[in-house]
Structure formats: structure tokens, C-alpha cells
Amino acid sequence: MKMRTLGRNGLDVSALGLGCMGMSGVYGAADRGESIATIHAALDRGITLLDTGDFYGSGHNELLIREALQGRPRDQVLLSVKFGALRDPENRFIGFDGRPVAVRNFLTYSLRRLGTDYIDIYRPARLDPTVPIEDTVGAIADMVKAGHVRSIGLSEVGAETLRRAQAVHPIVDLQIEYSLISRGIEAKILPTCRELGIGITAYGVLSRGLISGHWSRDRMADAQDFRRMSPRFRPENLERNLALVEALRRIAEAKSASVAQIAIAWVLGRGEEIVPVIGARRRDQLTEALGALDLTLSAADLAAIEHAIPPNAAAGTRYDAHQMAVLDSER
Ligand SMILES: NC(=O)c1ccc[n+]([C@@H]2O[C@H](COP(=O)([O-])OP(=O)(O)OC[C@H]3O[C@@H](n4cnc5c(N)ncnc54)[C@H](OP(=O)(O)O)[C@@H]3O)[C@@H](O)[C@H]2O)c1
């Protein structure tokens, strides 16, 4: 497995991470046995980074990971956990809590559900606009001192918040959406991370399946999940976005690769400090994703990809208007 390093203090991680969110219903029903087999296969193939959130299935995802890690050495894996999002019993998001007292409470439950006494990277899933980032990060820093957390990460915050947080405690990585069709971080956020020595764990590299090469108009009819609400999957935008995928497919075919592999290889090629966190839910998807590590994109390939999908080519925003409005990274 190729390795990369996150953050100035040097956290070594596999060049691809596995995001487990889709194993807890966010993209429709998931098969428990196949989810666990996928986590096992990832670890067996050398993936060391598993990403989760305490609100993924309201605890379901952490319990699933605990089950998958039974009998495995704890130090074989780096657990990246997001906290702070609040849900009601109907699974709706009802707010965000980044208060120091809440940090300690969320962490206590995550440690218990995961069956571990430390979390490798702990991060607020979003910026709580009512709590200074210094307070939230300061509370996690206390948990680092107490030995419950190893490193602090952030998620979907902008350059200013990164600077303020880094002044309190070293930030190991920023988790943020980055893909061929979501390149917003290139203007300010990515240069700031580079300046401050903060790594990037990139999610949505396949734009939640849209640019995986496996999405089609027919699949939309069944989708009762996040994607039904996502602007880029809406009928008025889907046509254009799938045309971009077809342009990418022609490039992939010429390289005997798949569309997903080209999309992942492109992100991998954007910088050594970037670790794509791939949302494979099945072993076949994982195998396909791992194939991207063997792909080299030449200058000519990159030019062809850039021509096929120029920046801002996608129709529709990456979240709906309500969610876009709460993203510190979009300010
Ligand atoms: N910090 C944040 O705000 C945030 C937000 C979202 C996610 N994340 C994290 O990032 C991880 C990845 O995000 P994501 O799931 O949205 O992104 P993704 O990797 O762009 O999309 C994953 C989806 O793509 C489809 N797919 C098709 N072929 C695939 C292949 N070969 N490998 C993997 N997936 C394939 C699958 O959907 P089908 O099975 O339906 O085809 C899968 O559920 C999540 O699991 C989560 O840990 C973080």
C-alpha cells in the first residue's frame, strides 16, 4: 500500500482511506455482512484510515466498525470520527453542537460505541456558528492531553477558521469535498492548508456516485436517499452531469481504466498531502477504487481530463441551498 503523511507532525496513513458513511443508510439500504466484509477487505489490502461520524445512522456506523474490528489489533487502523451533528428520532438533522461540554459528551459515547479508549482523529463535522472555533478545538486539545484523542481534524471549514484553529492546536487534516466537479478548495482553502502544513482528506471524490461511471438516469427512480435531494442529481442537472461522465469514460477507456479510477487518480495526483476517502460499500467497489493507485496520469491525460471537465463544469451545487448556507468553507 502506498502511504501518505497528514499534517506537520506527520501522521502516516494509507494513500486511500475508506469512508463508512454509506454503510449506514445514507445512500439507501446497506448490507451488514457486505459492509463488514468490505471493511475487512480494506484492512487486508493495507488501508489504514477508516472515516465515520457519530451521527451516521445515529451510532449505527460506529457500532458496525466496532464489530468489523473485533479481533484485529487496534493499532492497525486509524479511526477518524466526526461529531456535533444533532438528529431527532426520525433521523432528521436538528442542529449542531460544538460547545466544549458537548465535545466531552460526544467523545465519551463514541469511545464506548467503538469499543476503544482513543480516537486517532477527532473533528467537528461542521463549524458551530455560536461557538468560537478556539473553544471547540481547545476542548478537543484537552482530550488529547488526557489521552482520549491523538490528533485534531476539521471538516468543511474555510481558510480563516483553519488559521484560528491551528493557533490553538496543530490540525492534522481538513476533511472536505474535492473532486473533478467540486474544485472550490483550489482558490483559498488548499493553499492555506499547504501553508499551515494541514493535510486534506478528500470526500465526495466520486461525487457520491455521480461520477463513478455507474450512475444512470434509471437509478434515480429508486434512489430514496441523500441523492434524491442533491442538486446535481436533479433531472434538470443530471443530463449535463452524466454527459461529463461520458466524456471522462472515453479517456478512461483509452487507458484501460474505469471512470471511477480516473476520478480517484486525478485527486491523488493533486498533491501528496491529499488522501481520498472513498465511500465504497461493497468489495467490488473497493477493488475498483484501489485500482486507481496503479494508474499514472500523464500530462497529456491531465490535459484531456481538464478539457473534458473544466472547473465549474457541473450543473448544480454540491449541497442543497440550506446546507450550502451552513458551510463555513463556502463563505
Ligand atoms: N466531512 C464531511 O462533511 C463528509 C461528507 C460526506 C462524506 N464524508 C466521508 O467521506 C466518505 C466518502 O464520501 P461519499 O461516500 O460521499 O463519496 P464518494 O466516494 O464520492 O461516493 C460513494 C458512492 O459512490 C458509489 N460508487 C460507485 N462506484 C464506486 C467505487 N468504485 N468505489 C466507491 N464508491 C463507488 C457508491 O454508491 P452506490 O453503492 O449507490 O453505487 C458509493 O456509495 C464517507 O463515507 C464519509 O466517511 C464526509
Side-chain angles (χ1 to χ4, degrees), residues 24 56 82 95 98 108 111 134 143 154 158 169 183 192 196 212 255 272 279 287-288 303 307 311 329:
S24 293
Y56 291 167
K82 290 180 289 300
T108 304
L111 290 170
E134 289 83 354
M143 297 296 99
L154 291 170
H169 188 278
R183 296 178 60 173
T192 304
L196 300 176
S212 67
K255 288 192 70 72
E272 278 296 309
T287 302
E288 182 183 32
H307 183 71
S329 50

Side-chain angles (χ1 to χ4, degrees), residues 54 72 128:
D54 60 10
R72 303 224 170 206
D128 182 340

Side-chain angles (χ1 to χ4, degrees), residues 156-175:
E156 286 291 352
V157 300
E160 189 53 37
T161 303
L162 285 169
R163 282 185 201 289
R164 287 173 53 183
Q166 176 88 343
V168 175
H169 188 278
I171 301 299
V172 72
D173 73 316
L174 170 66
Q175 189 171 107

